[in-house]
């Protein structure tokens, strides 16, 4: 069994290790965001998205970008 205190995730060869529980929590939080982005993107492409849907999509993409940028640094 792996102990939480010893679990790490390697993001990049030169990046400091990130505790696994933080990395997993970010991924779990990101999954519903990605699903909603996909749904809203298809609504836009199909021409069914309202202005509120487009704004929500923009907000979610900004949030996703911020999460990925934070993971990269």
């Amino acid at each position: 069994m792996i102990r939480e205190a010893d679990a790490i995730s390697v993001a990049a060869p030169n990046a400091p290790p990130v505790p696994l529980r933080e990395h997993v929590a970010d991924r779990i939080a990101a999954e519903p965001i990605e699903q909603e982005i996909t749904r809203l993107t298809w609504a836009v492409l199909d021409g069914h998205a309202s202005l509120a849907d487009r704004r929500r999509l923009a907000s979610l993409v900004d949030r996703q970008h911020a999460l990925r940028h934070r993971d990269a640094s």
Side-chain angles (χ1 to χ4, degrees):
M1 175 184 265
I2 298 175
R3 295 182 327 180
E4 274 192 43
D6 294 338
I8 60 169
S9 171
V10 179
N14 297 328
V18 177
L20 184 59
R21 62 184 169 274
E22 290 176 17
H23 182 71
V24 170
D26 288 344
R27 292 290 173 223
I28 291 170
E31 287 177 15
I33 292 172
E34 291 178 6
Q35 291 171 357
E36 183 71 359
I37 287 172
T38 299
R39 185 188 72 76
L40 291 169
T41 298
W42 279 109
V44 169
L45 292 173
D46 290 341
H48 301 288
S50 66
L51 181 58
D53 289 339
R54 291 172 184 269
R55 287 182 177 158
R56 173 90 172 129
L57 177 59
S59 173
L60 289 171
V61 169
D62 286 345
R63 183 174 173 194
Q64 182 186 49
H65 177 74
L67 284 172
R68 288 184 178 168
H69 181 68
R70 190 191 73 190
D71 285 347
S73 57

